[in-house]
Amino acid sequence: AVSSAEGPGRFGTLAIRMTGDLAALKDWADVGVCGGAAAVIGVLGAAVAGFWLSGVAGLAAALTGPALAAIACGCLLARLTRGVASRRSERGRLSARIGDILLGASAFTAYGAEASAILPLRRASKALMRAQVGQVAFARLMHAPTALTLPLGAAVALAVSLAGHGPTGGIAGWAALLFTLSLSTLSTSALIGAVEQFVERKVALARLSELIAAAASAPPAAPGGQVRLRPGRGLSLSIDGVQLVPAGGECVLPRAVAEPLLEDVLRGADGVEVDGMAASRIASSDWARRIAYAGPRRGLCRNRIRALLGARRPASADALAQAFEIAGAPSAWRGLWRTARAC
């Protein structure tokens, strides 16, 4: 709905954007929810193992990494959210520039304007690189507690042992402490990764919600009724009570007159009627094949010509022959209609 309302150039941008947003939701379910649950279980296991095998010193050492991770996430979370949003926006702009270049490629080539066409693309690429580097930098800062868990945890355990709460079991207790710190390090890393995916999910969900709201407010691209048009005779077309085309007839209008009416006819807007029936009551498939047209502004889906020409059922051989004749196609093509496909 949004791509139809805002022109064909928006389709590629929305496709790239939705692909990234839906991938973020998938990663959130995988790394965020499942990975976060595993990380929490790992932290609890490290704490229990540390306290059981090394006493208070092991418990303090096991909780050092998660505590640092909580502090880092609290300080950098807002900045990371802005970084993710900026990266997504710049990626959308880059995909829009690529779509613009592809749509206007023939004109750029014909007028030798390739350099001016590539310049906005280069700017968008640099902006995306800056946004990407900025986000990765803050993400790496959030992962700093992972590298500090082992040395700081050992230092905390040593400080606690100097206060009279050393690991139980002597050397075996210190060995158990190293195991505890290793488990705590892995859990801290997974916990921070889960937080990152929750940030990605927050931004992606906001963008998808904006897209759904835009789709709800966009004008419909075609009628959404249930009435099916029977194949057969021509139908009269009128707008606001004024007949535009008689039933089975033809009408030639100047471009200045036809252009303002074309969009309303294509969408089946209010005031458009066929044989006295409001366009909004007609099914979109019949409207597209019996009333609308195929052209640069609205192309045909790739399918067999026989299916595209039919309204309620595939077109007959006589209808196909007539279509080839109107289109001025070579007569030799008419025997290929069974395998021919629309470009």
Side-chain angles (χ1 to χ4, degrees):
V2 177
S3 62
S4 298
E6 301 187 15
R10 289 281 292 163
F11 181 77
T13 303
L14 292 176
I16 297 294
R17 172 175 161 182
M18 287 187 64
T19 301
D21 292 337
L22 295 175
L25 296 182
K26 178 188 73 67
D27 293 338
W28 163 74
D30 184 12
V31 181
V33 177
C34 300
V40 171
I41 294 174
V43 170
L44 293 177
V48 172
F51 182 73
W52 184 23
L53 299 175
S54 303
V56 177
L59 177 62
L63 295 179
T64 300
L68 291 175
I71 295 173
C73 291
C75 296
L76 301 175
L77 193 61
R79 183 61 183 84
L80 180 64
T81 302
R82 291 195 297 269
V84 171
S86 176
R87 187 206 74 206
R88 292 288 184 84
S89 298
E90 296 299 340
R91 181 172 293 175
R93 292 189 182 95
L94 178 60
S95 62
R97 296 292 181 270
I98 295 174
D100 293 341
I101 287 180
L102 295 177
L103 287 175
S106 59
F108 291 132
T109 303
Y111 292 102
E114 293 90 344
S116 61
I118 294 175
L119 183 60
L121 183 64
R122 183 176 292 120
R123 292 174 179 170
S125 301
K126 291 181 178 179
L128 176 59
M129 284 194 299
R130 288 193 295 268
Q132 183 78 28
V133 170
Q135 182 211 331
V136 171
F138 278 94
R140 291 306 96 192
L141 286 176
M142 288 183 62
H143 278 275
T146 302
L148 297 175
T149 297
L150 184 58
L152 288 183
V156 168
L158 181 60
V160 172
S161 66
L162 293 177
H165 301 283
T168 58
I171 296 177
W174 283 102
L177 179 63
L178 292 177
F179 164 77
T180 300
L181 289 175
S182 299
L183 180 59
S184 179
T185 300
L186 293 175
S187 301
T188 300
S189 177
L191 194 61
I192 296 174
V195 172
E196 286 183 308
Q197 293 305 321
F198 270 88
V199 172
E200 293 274 0
R201 181 251 187 195
K202 178 182 178 181
V203 175
L205 196 60
R207 289 163 62 91
L208 288 173
S209 299
E210 292 177 1
L211 186 61
I212 292 174
S217 61
Q226 302 296 326
V227 178
R228 302 300 304 268
L229 296 177
R230 294 180 178 274
R233 64 182 184 86
L235 307 174
S236 64
L237 176 66
S238 59
I239 299 180
D240 295 330
V242 179
Q243 188 180 71
L244 189 64
V245 182
E250 298 179 359
C251 180
V252 179
L253 298 175
R255 182 182 297 273
V257 177
E259 278 291 337
L261 304 176
L262 179 60
E263 193 63 33
D264 289 341
V265 172
L266 291 177
R267 293 190 295 106
D270 294 338
V272 178
E273 296 181 348
V274 173
D275 279 357
M277 182 189 306
S280 58
R281 298 178 55 193
I282 300 174
S284 59
S285 59
D286 286 354
W287 186 262
R289 288 169 174 159
R290 295 292 301 277
I291 307 299
Y293 77 108
R297 295 180 60 186
R298 180 173 295 181
L300 288 172
C301 300
R302 181 176 175 84
N303 204 340
R304 296 185 182 278
I305 295 177
R306 186 167 179 245
L308 294 174
L309 291 177
R312 298 188 63 178
R313 61 183 60 86
S316 63
D318 293 337
L320 285 166
Q322 184 180 6
F324 277 108
E325 182 179 355
I326 293 175
S331 57
W333 289 9
R334 299 177 187 177
L336 304 176
W337 64 269
R338 294 183 180 275
T339 56
R341 288 180 175 268
C343 298

